[in-house]
């Protein structure tokens, strides 16, 4: 135990180095060992290619068309990495994911310390995040959500410092600047989450008037100024109609109220979040949830609201975000990420005082989950209906089983031993996944193979067309833009003007239209993320 305590103390005294080494250990070997996958990775890669090659710095472009789905700041970050490091496309995309994940851990630790949690709890919260399956996966998937969540978390920390210290200083301005930066990474949830949460926290304490300060107004103006600069750039690049109808109308208002995709019922996150938060969802079974059924608990909570502190803010960050997301029309698995740090801090804090019986139950459940997943993979992995053989499945299963057994074996040695074992087990498991399993899934998850076939036909003089496929998924690897159609009549009319044409279309839609295209024949078929795509040519 003394050796464990010494190790923990060293990690605790050097938290930034600890987090850096944890992320480095999970990612260094996998920065360029697989293809970019469907659908976001290949689309973001093409958006970045257009930024670099065609100067699309303000309004991104995808497959030769304006791409209003995402603001540009994350892509500027990738450009800096491209220029300042030896990494280039596509490795720079994976480097961006790893560094965004490190930033996410830094932000979570900074939040814990800002809320006056000690180094032990703060470090424990980052180990919880590192040992979460979803976070481990996102360290290897190229998208902006980790950076987005990190900026949101830092904005919360700045606002808490501003409105709980005796002097607010310049913290309100920093809070708004960070919220504005988050907005320019992914969208308006970047400022809505921190503003709604801090407003609810202060209202609960009866201190909402603290928001009516001069520095708060200055911070709001600073954030609006940041957004105004980008808005002016959008108008200059694409015109006011594009801003109003496409960016504000379709991408923001329509997604929130009546989305055109990812539309789910109000209860969707009640099913999705427990899966996303594994294995730490199991902490619910070691928590004293019976207290929630006690009127005295709620009475005491309400009676002491004016003294509410960090834990209250953390619960508001989780609950308010959860309810807000559930109210939106569009629901996406990844949106839950900003809820992870507050829950991680709450669980880390609870581990310090949890009874021995509850702690053993928690670690038995966490380790047991690892073992169950490993056994299921070992016994039933070959039954998974994948279109390609997956390498290293047995090794991945073995690490899961051994990791789970290790977690269970140290359950009586305290939360420090169990957390370190969880984090180490996750790091070790990522190696066979990242080096063997993930690369072998390229032909099942990436459009690269079919895109290269498409590229060959294009370079042989065939006119390319796409119908009813996810926009822009072939462009990066094909190296060419191509027109996309949803209307069959227009598609057939356009292709009729070419003696040599190549068409990419989903297999089920090809069945709808093949009788109208007797001159076309299928030359390639690929299942991409479970959706079969065919490539048909004429001439």
């Amino acid at each position: 135990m003394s050796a464990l305590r010494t190790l923990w103390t060293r990690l605790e005294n050097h938290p930034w180095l600890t987090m850096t080494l944890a992320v480095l250990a999970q990612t260094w070997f996998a920065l360029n060992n697989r293809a970019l996958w469907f659908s976001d990775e290949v689309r973001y890669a093409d958006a970045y290619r257009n930024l670099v090659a065609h100067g699309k710095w303000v309004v991104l472009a995808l497959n030769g068309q304006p791409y209003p789905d995402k603001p540009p700041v994350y892509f500027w970050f990738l450009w800096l990495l491209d220029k300042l490091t030896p990494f280039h496309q596509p490795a720079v995309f994976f480097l961006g994911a790893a560094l965004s994940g490190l930033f996410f851990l830094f932000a979570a630790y900074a939040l814990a310390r800002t809320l006056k949690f000690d180094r032990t709890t703060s470090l424990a919260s980052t180990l919880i995040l590192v040992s979460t399956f979803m976070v481990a996966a996102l360290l290897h998937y190229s998208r902006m959500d980790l950076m987005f969540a990190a900026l949101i978390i830092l904005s919360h920390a700045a606002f808490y410092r501003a409105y709980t210290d005796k002097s607010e200083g310049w913290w309100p301005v920093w809070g708004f600047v960070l919220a504005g930066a988050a907005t320019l990474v992914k969208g308006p949830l970047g400022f809505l989450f921190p503003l709604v949460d801090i407003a609810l926290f202060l209202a609960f304490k009866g201190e909402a008037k603290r928001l009516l300060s001069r520095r708060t107004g200055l911070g709001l103006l600073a954030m609006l100024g940041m957004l105004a600069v980008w808005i002016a750039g959008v108008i200059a690049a694409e015109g006011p109609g594009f801003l109003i109808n496409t960016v504000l109308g379709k991408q923001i208002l329509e997604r929130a109220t009546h989305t055109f995709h990812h539309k789910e019922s109000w209860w969707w996150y009640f099913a999705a979040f427990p899966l996303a938060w594994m294995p730490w969802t199991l902490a619910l079974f070691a928590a004293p949830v019976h207290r929630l059924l006690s009127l005295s608990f709620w009475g005491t909570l309400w009676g002491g609201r004016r003294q509410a502190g960090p834990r209250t803010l953390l619960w508001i960050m989780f609950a308010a975000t959860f309810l807000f997301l559930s109210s939106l029309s569009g629901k996406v698995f990844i949106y839950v990420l900003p809820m992870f740090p507050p829950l991680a801090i709450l669980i880390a804090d609870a581990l310090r005082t949890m009874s021995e019986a509850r702690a053993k139950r928690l670690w038995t459940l966490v380790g047991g989950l690892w073992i169950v997943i490993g056994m299921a993979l070992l016994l039933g992995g070959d039954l998974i209906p994948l279109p390609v053989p997956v390498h290293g499945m047995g090794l991945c299963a073995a690490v899961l089983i051994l990791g789970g057994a290790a977690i269970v074996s140290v359950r009586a040695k305290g939360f420090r031993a169990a957390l370190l074992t969880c984090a180490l087990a996750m790091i070790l498991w990522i190696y066979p996944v990242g080096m063997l399993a993930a690369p072998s899934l390229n032909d099942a998850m990436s459009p690269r193979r079919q895109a290269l076939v498409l590229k060959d036909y294009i370079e042989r003089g065939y006119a390319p067309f796409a119908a009813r496929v996810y926009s822009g998924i072939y462009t990066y690897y094909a190296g060419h833009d191509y027109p996309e159609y949803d209307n069959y009549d227009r598609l057939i009319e356009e292709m009729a003007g070419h003696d040599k044409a190549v068409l990419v279309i989903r297999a089920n839609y090809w069945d709808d239209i093949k009788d109208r295209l007797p001159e076309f024949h299928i030359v390639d078929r690929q299942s991409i993320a479970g959706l079969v795509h065919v490539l048909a040519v004429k001439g």
Side-chain angles (χ1 to χ4, degrees):
M1 290 298 290
S2 60
L4 171 65
R5 179 73 68 170
T6 299
L7 174 61
W8 182 276
T9 300
R10 289 180 178 176
L11 297 176
E12 192 177 279
N13 289 338
H14 304 282
W16 311 108
L17 178 61
T18 299
M19 290 181 280
T20 300
L21 291 176
V23 172
L24 180 64
Q26 281 206 37
T27 59
W28 69 270
F29 60 91
L31 293 178
N32 195 24
N33 70 331
R34 67 168 175 83
L36 299 170
W37 284 1
F38 177 94
S39 66
D40 290 327
E41 283 192 331
V42 285
R43 288 153 56 84
Y44 295 162
D46 186 52
Y48 178 75
R49 181 182 63 85
N50 282 310
L51 180 147
V52 173
H54 303 295
K56 301 296 183 179
W57 289 88
V58 178
V59 177
L60 301 170
L62 176 67
N63 192 31
Q65 300 297 317
Y67 181 54
D69 291 43
K70 300 294 181 290
V73 166
Y74 182 74
F75 297 85
W76 299 350
F77 165 67
L78 294 178
W79 179 82
L80 283 175
L81 295 181
D82 203 343
K83 294 298 181 183
L84 299 178
T85 72
F87 293 88
H88 301 291
Q89 303 180 53
V92 72
F93 303 137
F94 297 107
L95 176 64
L99 292 180
S100 296
L102 181 59
F103 182 37
F104 179 67
L105 294 182
F106 282 1
Y109 186 87
L111 175 66
R113 296 297 284 152
T114 300
L115 298 184
K116 304 297 191 298
F117 290 96
D118 63 17
R119 289 182 175 182
T120 298
T121 298
S122 301
L123 177 64
S125 69
T126 63
L127 292 178
I128 287 172
L129 292 173
V130 165
S131 56
T132 303
F133 288 108
M134 182 171 170
V135 172
L138 287 175
L139 290 174
H140 298 265
Y141 194 85
S142 177
R143 55 184 302 141
M144 68 287 299
D145 294 270
L146 286 166
M147 176 182 284
F148 179 63
L151 289 166
I152 289 173
I153 295 304
L154 289 177
S155 179
H156 280 88
F159 282 136
Y160 180 84
R161 182 81 179 268
Y163 301 121
T164 58
D165 286 357
K166 292 182 179 179
S167 174
E168 65 182 17
W170 288 94
W171 289 108
V173 177
W174 281 113
F176 277 104
V177 168
L178 289 163
T183 303
L184 293 177
V185 167
K186 191 167 182 182
L189 293 179
F191 71 80
L192 287 173
F193 284 161
L195 291 183
V196 168
D197 292 346
I198 200 65
L200 289 173
F201 175 68
L202 293 175
F204 181 73
K205 287 171 62 70
E207 298 178 1
K209 63 181 180 181
R210 295 200 64 166
L211 291 170
L212 304 176
S213 70
R214 190 171 300 175
R215 293 279 170 83
T216 298
L218 183 60
L220 179 60
L221 288 176
M223 184 185 75
L224 293 176
M226 294 169 63
L227 301 182
V229 170
W230 177 64
I231 289 171
V234 172
I235 293 174
E238 300 293 339
F242 179 82
L243 173 70
I244 295 171
N245 298 324
T246 304
V247 177
L248 298 179
K250 185 175 182 180
Q251 294 300 322
I252 296 178
L253 293 178
E254 189 173 337
R255 284 190 178 210
T257 59
H258 189 66
T259 188
F260 48 92
H261 67 168
H262 300 305
K263 187 173 184 178
E264 303 290 349
S265 300
W266 63 270
W267 51 262
W268 191 81
Y269 283 112
F270 285 89
F273 184 82
L275 293 175
W277 187 229
M278 285 294 181
W280 299 106
T281 304
L282 299 173
L284 180 66
F285 297 98
V289 293
H290 64 276
R291 294 171 58 189
L292 300 178
L293 304 177
S294 170
L295 292 177
S296 62
F297 169 79
W298 295 104
T300 302
L301 181 66
W302 179 254
R305 66 190 183 281
R306 294 191 179 277
Q307 289 75 45
R311 293 170 184 81
T312 301
L313 175 63
L314 292 173
W315 279 116
I316 288 175
M317 289 175 66
F318 168 71
T321 301
F322 188 96
L323 293 175
F324 189 92
L325 289 176
S326 296
S327 71
L328 299 179
S329 176
K331 297 176 177 64
V332 182
F333 202 66
I334 200 73
Y335 287 177
V336 303
L337 201 56
M339 292 187 275
F340 282 16
L343 269 189
I345 297 170
L346 287 167
I347 292 174
D349 183 47
L351 289 175
R352 305 285 300 276
T353 58
M354 188 177 291
S355 68
E356 183 177 350
R358 289 186 184 276
K360 283 188 175 181
R361 185 189 310 163
L362 171 62
W363 300 120
T364 300
L365 289 170
V366 171
L369 176 67
W370 275 65
I371 294 171
V372 168
I373 296 174
M375 290 299 296
L377 196 61
L378 186 64
L379 299 177
D382 292 337
L383 301 178
I384 300 175
L386 293 171
V388 295
V390 182
H391 300 157
M393 188 86 79
L395 185 57
C396 293
V399 176
L400 282 169
I401 295 169
L402 293 175
I407 294 168
V408 173
S409 70
V410 300
R411 60 183 176 174
K413 296 181 179 180
F415 71 92
R416 293 175 179 84
L419 272 178
L420 288 173
T421 303
C422 279
L424 181 60
M426 183 63 75
I427 290 171
L428 293 176
W429 180 62
I430 288 296
Y431 278 80
V433 173
M435 298 178 73
L436 298 172
S440 69
L441 285 168
N442 280 340
D443 286 349
M445 296 299 297
S446 173
R448 181 180 64 178
R449 189 195 63 74
Q450 197 165 65
L452 293 177
V453 177
L454 175 64
K455 179 180 181 179
D456 179 65
Y457 275 97
I458 294 172
E459 293 178 351
R460 286 160 51 191
Y462 286 74
F465 296 89
R468 301 291 184 92
V469 297
Y470 218 69
S471 181
I473 61 169
Y474 294 100
T475 314
Y476 181 74
Y477 282 118
H480 297 272
D481 297 333
Y482 48 83
E484 299 173 321
Y485 295 90
D486 285 329
N487 185 290
Y488 291 148
D489 293 332
R490 286 190 57 200
L491 169 68
I492 293 171
E493 180 181 347
E494 290 294 327
M495 291 194 301
H498 298 271
D499 294 330
K500 299 169 66 177
V502 55
L503 170 67
V504 176
I505 186 171
R506 290 256 296 275
N508 55 323
Y509 296 125
W510 169 253
D511 292 337
D512 294 337
I513 199 176
K514 64 183 180 182
D515 291 340
R516 300 176 64 182
L517 298 171
E519 68 275 29
F520 279 79
H521 63 281
I522 293 177
V523 295
D524 190 73
R525 185 184 296 267
Q526 182 182 359
S527 175
I528 306 172
L531 304 173
V532 179
H533 295 67
V534 300
L535 192 151
V537 301
K538 81 166 182 177

